[in-house]
Amino acid sequence: MNVEREVLIERDGPVGIATLHRPHALNALSLSTMKALEAALTEFEAAPEIRAIIVTGGPRAFAAGADIGEMKDLASGKAARAALGEHLARWDRIGRLKKPTIAAVAGYALGGGCELALACDLIVAAENAVFGQPEIQLGVIPGAGGTQRLTKAVGKALAMDMALTGRRLSAREALERGLVCRVVAPEVLLDEAKRMARRIAELAPLAARAAKLAVAAAVDRGLDAGLKAEREAFYALFDTNDQAEGMRAFAEKRAPAFEGR
Ligand code: CAA
């Protein structure tokens, strides 16, 4: 697979657009996809003419999570840490970009896909968007910031519901709960995201940067410690049989049989 093709890059005046493009896997965020995405966003970050960045996916899926195929055979926490350390750090670095970022989400934003949207500054959703952290169904937990950023976005009650039951949120619920800032018809999703990005781009760039940092400071205090705790727990779950069972069952298209060990 041509790595460049997993993420399509477009420049529209002051707006940089990175489009996840692995439709056969519902844009599952493989090691190479995230590498290509981070490279694209880093390029936009360095380009003086780009003032706002959009991350988007396809009509059926923004991204259905980290790539389970790449994780299912990781047989220990040590192996998970070695294989996924650099991968998971990409979500953190995307969250720390200085230019304003907008996630334009249609369809599934699950697991690492939801976490990628959450790492952006703003989320605009199509009416068919579905948000969720289904990792518990695989015998693990969110490992790319979900437990922290989702909780800060929607509060403890709903974050617990989503993390413990795998409950998904519709675009409407996500709007009501403050996870997304706008919901639009799927056919105008990208137009709306571009409109927002162009509006940001025509305003003061240094102030935009400062506003983003200041708002992030309000919600992200303690984030680093939370992310560390989350990541340790995520890796440790790769020492369990339930992780192996959960991910293999997904690959084999059957229901998992969890044993609690
Ligand atoms: N990883 C790898 N492949 C995936 C995938 C993922 N996260 N999500 C979907 N796919 C693949 C499927 O295996 C399938 O491939 P094949 O056609 O080769 O079998 C293809 O995409 C289409 O998927 P489905 O046939 O399952 O489509 P569906 O419409 O029946 O279901 C879905 C859609 C509900 C999103 C379902 O695909 C699903 O549950 N996906 C997994 C979601 C998930 O658990 N995400 C969390 C991953 S773990 C994680 O992200 C950890 C972290 O925090 C970093």
Side-chain angles (χ1 to χ4, degrees):
M1 163 87 46
N2 180 337
V3 170
E4 279 78 31
R5 292 275 173 81
E6 291 179 15
V7 176
L8 308 177
I9 299 166
E10 187 194 333
R11 287 161 192 251
D12 184 358
V15 182
I17 304 159
T19 304
L20 298 164
H21 186 61
R22 279 188 88 204
H24 62 282
L26 299 182
N27 288 338
L29 300 167
S30 66
L31 301 175
S32 61
T33 307
M34 281 304 290
K35 188 174 179 191
L37 178 65
E38 191 188 4
L41 301 187
T42 306
E43 220 179 288
F44 291 152
E45 178 91 334
E49 73 281 10
I50 298 291
R51 292 203 176 171
I53 298 169
I54 295 172
V55 179
T56 193
R60 215 185 138 208
F62 175 73
D67 193 314
I68 300 166
E70 291 179 339
M71 297 186 289
K72 71 181 172 53
D73 296 324
L74 298 173
S76 68
K78 200 173 160 201
R81 188 187 301 273
L84 303 176
E86 182 56 17
H87 186 46
L88 296 176
R90 296 191 197 281
W91 275 259
D92 304 346
R93 291 198 292 264
I94 289 169
R96 287 197 291 266
L97 288 171
K98 294 197 174 75
K99 292 184 179 172
T101 49
I102 300 171
V105 176
Y108 295 113
L110 300 178
C114 188
E115 291 167 301
L116 177 60
L118 283 161
C120 294
D121 300 320
L122 297 157
I123 306 177
V124 54
E127 282 154 354
N128 71 340
V130 177
F131 297 87
Q133 298 290 164
E135 288 87 347
I136 191 111
Q137 292 162 202
L138 301 168
V140 293
I141 64 169
T147 62
Q148 306 304 299
R149 292 197 180 91
L150 181 68
T151 308
K152 286 168 194 288
V154 304
K156 176 183 165 186
L158 186 55
M160 281 287 187
D161 192 358
M162 293 171 73
L164 291 174
T165 71
R167 174 182 163 185
R168 296 177 186 165
L169 290 191
S170 67
R172 282 282 148 211
E173 287 174 299
L175 182 66
E176 279 161 22
R177 300 306 301 256
L179 181 64
V180 313
C181 61
R182 298 182 196 187
V183 175
V184 297
E187 57 276 15
V188 298
L189 175 69
L190 197 55
D191 289 343
E192 182 67 14
K194 282 185 184 175
R195 213 183 343 265
M196 291 167 75
R198 279 197 293 264
R199 175 70 183 145
I200 292 169
E202 71 191 14
L203 297 169
L206 294 178
R209 197 168 289 201
K212 159 176 173 152
L213 275 177
V215 174
V219 288
D220 291 351
R221 191 167 305 159
L223 180 66
D224 285 348
L227 287 174
K228 193 158 178 268
E230 177 196 87
R231 200 123 327 145
E232 292 303 317
F234 178 77
Y235 291 137
L237 286 162
F238 282 79
D239 286 325
T240 69
N241 289 351
D242 283 353
Q243 169 274 326
E245 167 62 10
M247 294 193 177
R248 267 176 216 150
F250 177 80
E252 292 161 15
K253 301 188 187 293
R254 60 174 173 81
F258 293 128
E259 292 174 348
R261 62 194 175 89

Short mmCIF file of all heavy atoms in Angstrom, two decimals, residues 22-26 28-29 60 64-69 71 88 91 108 110-113 115 133-135 137-138 140-144 168 234 247 250 253, ligand 1:
data_model
loop_
_atom_site.label_atom_id
_atom_site.label_comp_id
_atom_site.label_asym_id
_atom_site.label_seq_id
_atom_site.Cartn_x
_atom_site.Cartn_y
_atom_site.Cartn_z
N ARG A 22 -8.35 5.08 3.90
CA ARG A 22 -8.21 3.61 3.91
C ARG A 22 -9.63 3.05 3.93
O ARG A 22 -10.03 2.39 4.89
CB ARG A 22 -7.49 3.14 5.16
CG ARG A 22 -6.00 3.22 5.15
CD ARG A 22 -5.46 2.51 6.39
NE ARG A 22 -5.24 1.10 6.19
CZ ARG A 22 -5.23 0.21 7.20
NH1 ARG A 22 -5.46 0.58 8.44
NH2 ARG A 22 -5.01 -1.07 6.95
N PRO A 23 -10.41 3.34 2.90
CA PRO A 23 -11.84 3.02 2.98
C PRO A 23 -12.13 1.54 3.22
O PRO A 23 -13.09 1.20 3.90
CB PRO A 23 -12.39 3.48 1.62
CG PRO A 23 -11.21 3.75 0.75
CD PRO A 23 -10.04 4.00 1.64
N HIS A 24 -11.25 0.66 2.69
CA HIS A 24 -11.50 -0.79 2.86
C HIS A 24 -11.45 -1.19 4.33
O HIS A 24 -12.00 -2.22 4.71
CB HIS A 24 -10.46 -1.59 2.07
CG HIS A 24 -9.07 -1.34 2.54
ND1 HIS A 24 -8.37 -0.21 2.21
CD2 HIS A 24 -8.26 -2.06 3.35
CE1 HIS A 24 -7.17 -0.26 2.79
NE2 HIS A 24 -7.09 -1.35 3.48
N ALA A 25 -10.79 -0.40 5.16
CA ALA A 25 -10.69 -0.73 6.60
C ALA A 25 -11.37 0.35 7.44
O ALA A 25 -11.05 0.53 8.61
CB ALA A 25 -9.22 -0.87 7.00
N LEU A 26 -12.33 1.04 6.84
CA LEU A 26 -13.05 2.13 7.53
C LEU A 26 -12.06 3.12 8.17
O LEU A 26 -12.26 3.59 9.28
CB LEU A 26 -14.01 1.56 8.58
CG LEU A 26 -15.12 0.65 8.03
CD1 LEU A 26 -16.04 0.17 9.15
CD2 LEU A 26 -15.94 1.36 6.96
N ALA A 28 -9.24 2.64 9.50
CA ALA A 28 -8.53 2.21 10.72
C ALA A 28 -7.13 2.83 10.71
O ALA A 28 -6.46 2.87 9.68
CB ALA A 28 -8.45 0.70 10.78
N LEU A 29 -6.74 3.33 11.86
CA LEU A 29 -5.51 4.12 11.95
C LEU A 29 -4.32 3.19 12.19
O LEU A 29 -3.92 2.92 13.33
CB LEU A 29 -5.67 5.16 13.07
CG LEU A 29 -6.83 6.14 12.82
CD1 LEU A 29 -7.16 6.93 14.08
CD2 LEU A 29 -6.52 7.07 11.65
N ARG A 60 -18.38 7.21 5.20
CA ARG A 60 -18.86 6.13 6.08
C ARG A 60 -18.08 6.08 7.39
O ARG A 60 -18.58 5.62 8.41
CB ARG A 60 -18.69 4.80 5.35
CG ARG A 60 -19.78 3.84 5.69
CD ARG A 60 -19.57 2.47 5.08
NE ARG A 60 -19.90 1.48 6.07
CZ ARG A 60 -19.38 0.28 6.13
NH1 ARG A 60 -18.48 -0.10 5.25
NH2 ARG A 60 -19.74 -0.55 7.07
N ALA A 64 -12.38 4.18 12.22
CA ALA A 64 -13.00 3.19 13.11
C ALA A 64 -12.02 2.69 14.17
O ALA A 64 -12.17 1.58 14.68
CB ALA A 64 -13.55 2.03 12.30
N GLY A 65 -11.02 3.49 14.48
CA GLY A 65 -10.12 3.12 15.59
C GLY A 65 -8.72 2.83 15.12
O GLY A 65 -8.42 2.87 13.93
N ALA A 66 -7.86 2.54 16.11
CA ALA A 66 -6.52 2.05 15.77
C ALA A 66 -6.72 0.71 15.06
O ALA A 66 -7.78 0.08 15.20
CB ALA A 66 -5.70 1.89 17.04
N ASP A 67 -5.70 0.29 14.31
CA ASP A 67 -5.85 -0.93 13.51
C ASP A 67 -5.70 -2.16 14.41
O ASP A 67 -4.61 -2.46 14.90
CB ASP A 67 -4.79 -0.95 12.39
CG ASP A 67 -5.11 -2.02 11.37
OD1 ASP A 67 -5.42 -3.16 11.77
OD2 ASP A 67 -5.06 -1.73 10.16
N ILE A 68 -6.82 -2.85 14.60
CA ILE A 68 -6.84 -3.99 15.53
C ILE A 68 -5.92 -5.11 15.04
O ILE A 68 -5.28 -5.80 15.82
CB ILE A 68 -8.28 -4.50 15.73
CG1 ILE A 68 -9.15 -3.37 16.31
CG2 ILE A 68 -8.33 -5.72 16.63
CD1 ILE A 68 -10.65 -3.62 16.25
N GLY A 69 -5.82 -5.24 13.72
CA GLY A 69 -4.94 -6.28 13.16
C GLY A 69 -3.50 -6.11 13.60
O GLY A 69 -2.76 -7.08 13.77
N MET A 71 -2.59 -4.95 16.46
CA MET A 71 -2.45 -5.05 17.92
C MET A 71 -2.78 -6.43 18.46
O MET A 71 -2.38 -6.77 19.57
CB MET A 71 -3.40 -4.04 18.59
CG MET A 71 -3.10 -2.59 18.28
SD MET A 71 -4.16 -1.48 19.24
CE MET A 71 -5.73 -1.74 18.44
N LEU A 88 1.13 5.80 19.46
CA LEU A 88 0.20 6.50 20.34
C LEU A 88 0.66 7.93 20.63
O LEU A 88 -0.17 8.82 20.83
CB LEU A 88 0.01 5.71 21.65
CG LEU A 88 -0.63 4.33 21.47
CD1 LEU A 88 -0.70 3.59 22.79
CD2 LEU A 88 -2.02 4.43 20.85
N TRP A 91 -0.92 10.86 18.53
CA TRP A 91 -2.17 11.55 18.93
C TRP A 91 -1.81 12.74 19.84
O TRP A 91 -2.39 13.81 19.70
CB TRP A 91 -3.08 10.60 19.67
CG TRP A 91 -3.98 9.73 18.86
CD1 TRP A 91 -5.32 9.94 18.62
CD2 TRP A 91 -3.66 8.49 18.19
NE1 TRP A 91 -5.84 8.91 17.86
CE2 TRP A 91 -4.85 8.01 17.58
CE3 TRP A 91 -2.48 7.73 18.04
CZ2 TRP A 91 -4.90 6.82 16.86
CZ3 TRP A 91 -2.54 6.57 17.33
CH2 TRP A 91 -3.72 6.12 16.74
N TYR A 108 -18.36 6.68 11.33
CA TYR A 108 -17.77 6.19 12.57
C TYR A 108 -16.55 7.00 13.01
O TYR A 108 -15.62 7.20 12.22
CB TYR A 108 -17.33 4.74 12.40
CG TYR A 108 -18.47 3.77 12.17
CD1 TYR A 108 -18.61 3.12 10.95
CD2 TYR A 108 -19.38 3.51 13.19
CE1 TYR A 108 -19.66 2.24 10.74
CE2 TYR A 108 -20.44 2.63 12.97
CZ TYR A 108 -20.56 1.99 11.75
OH TYR A 108 -21.59 1.13 11.54
N LEU A 110 -14.62 5.99 16.09
CA LEU A 110 -14.58 5.04 17.21
C LEU A 110 -13.15 4.85 17.69
O LEU A 110 -12.20 4.93 16.91
CB LEU A 110 -15.14 3.68 16.77
CG LEU A 110 -16.59 3.67 16.27
CD1 LEU A 110 -16.99 2.26 15.82
CD2 LEU A 110 -17.55 4.16 17.36
N GLY A 111 -13.00 4.56 18.98
CA GLY A 111 -11.68 4.26 19.51
C GLY A 111 -10.69 5.36 19.17
O GLY A 111 -10.93 6.54 19.42
N GLY A 112 -9.58 4.96 18.54
CA GLY A 112 -8.56 5.93 18.15
C GLY A 112 -9.09 6.99 17.21
O GLY A 112 -8.53 8.10 17.15
N GLY A 113 -10.18 6.70 16.49
CA GLY A 113 -10.79 7.70 15.60
C GLY A 113 -11.47 8.79 16.41
O GLY A 113 -11.34 9.99 16.12
N GLU A 115 -10.63 9.45 19.43
CA GLU A 115 -9.52 10.11 20.12
C GLU A 115 -8.79 11.10 19.21
O GLU A 115 -8.30 12.12 19.67
CB GLU A 115 -8.55 9.05 20.65
CG GLU A 115 -9.18 8.25 21.78
CD GLU A 115 -8.39 7.00 22.13
OE1 GLU A 115 -8.21 6.15 21.21
OE2 GLU A 115 -7.95 6.87 23.27
N GLN A 133 -16.09 4.87 22.29
CA GLN A 133 -14.82 4.27 22.74
C GLN A 133 -15.13 2.81 23.05
O GLN A 133 -15.38 2.45 24.20
CB GLN A 133 -14.31 5.01 23.99
CG GLN A 133 -14.00 6.48 23.76
CD GLN A 133 -12.78 6.76 22.91
OE1 GLN A 133 -12.59 7.86 22.43
NE2 GLN A 133 -11.92 5.78 22.69
N PRO A 134 -15.12 1.97 22.01
CA PRO A 134 -15.55 0.57 22.19
C PRO A 134 -14.44 -0.37 22.66
O PRO A 134 -14.63 -1.59 22.64
CB PRO A 134 -16.01 0.20 20.77
CG PRO A 134 -15.13 1.00 19.88
CD PRO A 134 -14.80 2.28 20.62
N GLU A 135 -13.30 0.17 23.10
CA GLU A 135 -12.15 -0.69 23.41
C GLU A 135 -12.46 -1.77 24.42
O GLU A 135 -11.87 -2.85 24.39
CB GLU A 135 -10.97 0.16 23.90
CG GLU A 135 -10.30 1.00 22.83
CD GLU A 135 -10.93 2.37 22.62
OE1 GLU A 135 -12.05 2.60 23.14
OE2 GLU A 135 -10.30 3.21 21.95
N GLN A 137 -14.80 -3.66 24.56
CA GLN A 137 -15.28 -4.86 23.85
C GLN A 137 -14.13 -5.69 23.31
O GLN A 137 -14.31 -6.83 22.90
CB GLN A 137 -16.21 -4.45 22.71
CG GLN A 137 -17.52 -3.86 23.20
CD GLN A 137 -18.27 -3.05 22.16
OE1 GLN A 137 -19.09 -2.22 22.51
NE2 GLN A 137 -18.00 -3.28 20.88
N LEU A 138 -12.94 -5.08 23.28
CA LEU A 138 -11.74 -5.79 22.81
C LEU A 138 -10.87 -6.22 23.99
O LEU A 138 -9.75 -6.70 23.80
CB LEU A 138 -10.92 -4.88 21.89
CG LEU A 138 -11.61 -4.35 20.64
CD1 LEU A 138 -10.78 -3.25 20.00
CD2 LEU A 138 -11.85 -5.47 19.64
N VAL A 140 -9.57 -4.11 26.17
CA VAL A 140 -8.61 -3.05 26.53
C VAL A 140 -9.37 -1.77 26.87
O VAL A 140 -10.58 -1.79 27.10
CB VAL A 140 -7.55 -2.81 25.41
CG1 VAL A 140 -6.64 -4.01 25.25
CG2 VAL A 140 -8.20 -2.43 24.09
N ILE A 141 -8.66 -0.67 26.94
CA ILE A 141 -9.27 0.64 27.19
C ILE A 141 -8.74 1.61 26.13
O ILE A 141 -7.81 1.27 25.40
CB ILE A 141 -8.92 1.18 28.60
CG1 ILE A 141 -7.41 1.44 28.75
CG2 ILE A 141 -9.43 0.22 29.69
CD1 ILE A 141 -7.03 2.21 30.01
N PRO A 142 -9.31 2.78 26.03
CA PRO A 142 -8.74 3.76 25.09
C PRO A 142 -7.27 4.01 25.47
O PRO A 142 -6.96 4.10 26.65
CB PRO A 142 -9.57 5.03 25.33
CG PRO A 142 -10.87 4.53 25.91
CD PRO A 142 -10.49 3.32 26.73
N GLY A 143 -6.42 4.11 24.47
CA GLY A 143 -4.99 4.28 24.75
C GLY A 143 -4.40 5.51 24.11
O GLY A 143 -3.20 5.75 24.20
N ALA A 144 -5.22 6.30 23.43
CA ALA A 144 -4.70 7.48 22.74
C ALA A 144 -5.37 8.76 23.27
O ALA A 144 -5.63 9.68 22.51
CB ALA A 144 -4.88 7.34 21.23
N ARG A 168 -22.39 4.19 22.16
CA ARG A 168 -22.03 5.17 21.13
C ARG A 168 -22.92 6.40 21.22
O ARG A 168 -24.06 6.29 21.64
CB ARG A 168 -22.22 4.56 19.75
CG ARG A 168 -21.32 3.38 19.47
CD ARG A 168 -21.72 2.86 18.10
NE ARG A 168 -21.03 1.64 17.75
CZ ARG A 168 -21.42 0.85 16.76
NH1 ARG A 168 -22.48 1.16 16.04
NH2 ARG A 168 -20.75 -0.24 16.48
N PHE A 234 -3.28 0.84 29.55
CA PHE A 234 -3.50 0.29 28.21
C PHE A 234 -2.46 -0.80 27.91
O PHE A 234 -2.81 -1.91 27.53
CB PHE A 234 -3.40 1.42 27.18
CG PHE A 234 -3.57 0.99 25.75
CD1 PHE A 234 -4.82 0.70 25.23
CD2 PHE A 234 -2.46 0.87 24.91
CE1 PHE A 234 -4.97 0.29 23.90
CE2 PHE A 234 -2.61 0.47 23.59
CZ PHE A 234 -3.87 0.19 23.08
N MET A 247 -9.39 -9.16 20.56
CA MET A 247 -8.92 -8.71 19.25
C MET A 247 -8.98 -9.84 18.22
O MET A 247 -9.30 -9.63 17.06
CB MET A 247 -7.53 -8.11 19.37
CG MET A 247 -7.57 -6.82 20.18
SD MET A 247 -6.08 -5.86 20.08
CE MET A 247 -6.58 -4.42 21.08
N PHE A 250 -12.52 -10.27 17.08
CA PHE A 250 -12.91 -9.27 16.08
C PHE A 250 -12.42 -9.71 14.71
O PHE A 250 -13.16 -9.70 13.73
CB PHE A 250 -12.34 -7.89 16.42
CG PHE A 250 -12.67 -6.88 15.35
CD1 PHE A 250 -13.92 -6.28 15.31
CD2 PHE A 250 -11.76 -6.58 14.34
CE1 PHE A 250 -14.25 -5.38 14.30
CE2 PHE A 250 -12.09 -5.68 13.32
CZ PHE A 250 -13.34 -5.08 13.31
N LYS A 253 -14.39 -12.43 13.31
CA LYS A 253 -15.81 -12.08 13.16
C LYS A 253 -16.71 -12.96 14.04
O LYS A 253 -17.70 -13.54 13.58
CB LYS A 253 -16.25 -12.14 11.69
CG LYS A 253 -15.45 -11.19 10.78
CD LYS A 253 -16.00 -11.12 9.40
CE LYS A 253 -15.12 -10.31 8.46
NZ LYS A 253 -15.04 -8.90 8.74
N1 CAA B 1 -9.03 -2.15 12.84
C1 CAA B 1 -8.82 -2.92 11.78
N2 CAA B 1 -9.76 -3.17 10.85
C2 CAA B 1 -10.97 -2.60 11.03
C3 CAA B 1 -11.24 -1.77 12.12
C4 CAA B 1 -10.20 -1.54 13.06
N3 CAA B 1 -10.36 -0.72 14.13
N4 CAA B 1 -12.53 -1.34 12.03
C5 CAA B 1 -13.02 -1.89 10.90
N5 CAA B 1 -12.09 -2.65 10.30
C6 CAA B 1 -12.21 -3.40 9.05
C7 CAA B 1 -12.98 -4.68 9.28
O1 CAA B 1 -12.14 -5.72 9.79
C8 CAA B 1 -13.49 -4.97 7.88
O2 CAA B 1 -12.43 -5.51 7.12
P1 CAA B 1 -12.71 -6.79 6.14
O3 CAA B 1 -13.71 -6.27 5.14
O4 CAA B 1 -11.37 -7.07 5.58
O5 CAA B 1 -13.29 -7.88 7.00
C9 CAA B 1 -13.76 -3.58 7.30
O6 CAA B 1 -13.00 -2.66 8.12
C10 CAA B 1 -15.21 -3.19 7.39
O7 CAA B 1 -15.63 -3.36 8.75
P2 CAA B 1 -16.92 -4.23 9.16
O8 CAA B 1 -17.16 -5.33 8.19
O9 CAA B 1 -16.76 -4.62 10.60
O10 CAA B 1 -18.07 -3.12 8.97
P3 CAA B 1 -19.44 -3.00 9.76
O11 CAA B 1 -20.22 -1.95 9.05
O12 CAA B 1 -20.06 -4.34 9.96
O13 CAA B 1 -19.03 -2.45 11.22
C11 CAA B 1 -17.85 -1.07 12.77
C12 CAA B 1 -18.45 -1.20 11.35
C13 CAA B 1 -18.97 -1.06 13.82
C14 CAA B 1 -17.09 0.25 12.82
C15 CAA B 1 -16.90 -2.28 13.03
O14 CAA B 1 -16.00 -2.38 11.96
C16 CAA B 1 -16.12 -2.19 14.29
O15 CAA B 1 -16.64 -2.45 15.37
N6 CAA B 1 -14.81 -1.83 14.18
C17 CAA B 1 -13.92 -1.81 15.31
C18 CAA B 1 -14.15 -0.58 16.17
C19 CAA B 1 -13.21 -0.60 17.36
O16 CAA B 1 -13.25 -1.51 18.17
N7 CAA B 1 -12.34 0.40 17.47
C20 CAA B 1 -11.38 0.51 18.52
C21 CAA B 1 -10.06 -0.07 18.11
S1 CAA B 1 -8.88 -0.19 19.45
C22 CAA B 1 -8.27 1.38 19.63
O17 CAA B 1 -8.62 2.30 18.90
C23 CAA B 1 -7.28 1.53 20.75
C24 CAA B 1 -6.86 2.95 21.02
O18 CAA B 1 -7.45 3.61 21.83
C25 CAA B 1 -5.72 3.51 20.33
#
